[in-house]
Amino acid sequence: MATHAAGFSAPPAALVEAGVAHLGRWTGPLARTSLLDAPYYGLPRALRRWRLKEWQAVQLATPTLFVNLALVDAKLMTLLQVKAYDRARGVKHLHERKLRPRAFRPTEQLLDSRVAYGDRTSALAFTNRLAHGRIEIDLACAARGGGPAMHGHVDLFTDAGASQVVNLPFTHGSIYSHKGLFPARGELTIAGVRHDLTDAVAMLDDHKAYYPYVMNYDWVTSLWRGDDGVMRGFNLTRNQVIEPTRWNENCVWIGDRVATLPAVTFTREDERGRHERWLVRDREGRVDLVFEPTVPGDVALDVGVIESRYRGPFGICRGRLEPDGLPAMTIDDRFGMGEDFWLRC
């Protein structure tokens, strides 16, 4: 059974009740997570829908493979994204599609739901069954645009890890996030190479937010299974929440235990240079992390009303984290990913 350190509460029945969005940090999934039920600038529900940005993503890690799978609905910009880095061969594979608006329907809860997109060249589905302790992922992408064919099935065992669910305040609206670290099992075939995911570690990222017209955030995460067989991971984010020392989603996982970390800042040295480093730190000295990008992941888009500047590199994490209620974690050359995202939409 998952163990949560101080700072977590039992989840409410729904994210929004009587028109008011609950704020907090919770131990598990909610029966309803729709932020559309909350007021936003006095807009009617149909217009609120076009301002709400939503995605479901999962990161998968083994000693030889790191994968990011995502369905992103930013309304005017919709994406299917599969990024896989074969660490043994030093090769990155990418399958990314810009889809028409409303190409898929985001879920309003994870207990029993499905979010999926599929056509003749790309198919990605998350079948969420947290009420039964699992998430099922199905992938089938044909070779396209220089990227290889990818296909496979993966099961996440959500009753064997730990979740962190938050809803945090912006100046207007809020940001909901369900992140969790779980064991995973399955297989993926990428460019004709079969990858066994028997002892994989997975991180869930279910996300909904009323971001400002110009949104930006920084993020670094890593997940792995140690020599002792125990899953470990962390989540470090700097975003646009108000009072970040009180409201943030920074945390550490060790096995089925999760504990909080303080608010952090990101500083970049030699940005886009050969020796780039992201320094992630807090004011108390409890977070001292260096992320060194080694595998680029830049996407730029400018079509007038929409401009996106996205960096999502993979790389190496080093440092030390001191969570509230768990032993300090030393991070020695652990593979992970970062994001530096600016979007006007």
Side-chain angles (χ1 to χ4, degrees), residues 121-266:
T121 61
S122 310
L124 175 60
F126 300 98
T127 303
N128 304 300
R129 305 185 190 280
L130 266 67
H132 302 286
R134 67 196 301 141
I135 294 175
E136 301 163 11
I137 303 173
D138 290 285
L139 172 69
C141 295
R144 180 181 180 274
M150 309 180 187
H151 64 87
H153 176 90
V154 184
D155 292 317
L156 278 59
F157 301 98
T158 59
D159 56 354
S163 291
Q164 172 188 257
V165 185
V166 301
N167 195 46
L168 312 174
F170 287 152
T171 301
H172 299 281
S174 62
I175 172 175
Y176 152 87
S177 173
H178 183 153
K179 290 187 169 68
L181 190 71
F182 311 112
R185 184 171 65 235
E187 66 176 54
L188 294 175
T189 299
I190 303 171
V193 178
R194 178 184 174 275
H195 297 270
D196 182 4
L197 304 182
T198 300
D199 293 316
V201 182
M203 186 175 293
L204 168 68
D205 184 4
D206 186 49
H207 194 99
K208 305 176 187 297
Y210 281 118
Y211 282 102
Y213 175 61
V214 175
M215 66 174 276
N216 68 86
Y217 66 78
D218 300 296
W219 177 55
V220 169
T221 190
S222 181
L223 56 155
W224 67 92
R225 192 179 294 276
D227 295 337
D228 55 3
V230 176
M231 301 183 302
R232 289 176 173 84
F234 62 83
N235 178 74
L236 292 169
T237 308
R238 189 246 17 118
N239 53 30
Q240 292 162 288
V241 300
I242 60 175
E243 296 185 71
T245 56
R246 178 183 180 190
W247 304 109
N248 68 74
E249 58 171 330
N250 301 325
C251 67
V252 157
W253 288 270
I254 301 177
D256 61 357
R257 298 176 293 169
V258 58
T260 62
L261 288 168
V264 296
T265 60
F266 282 64

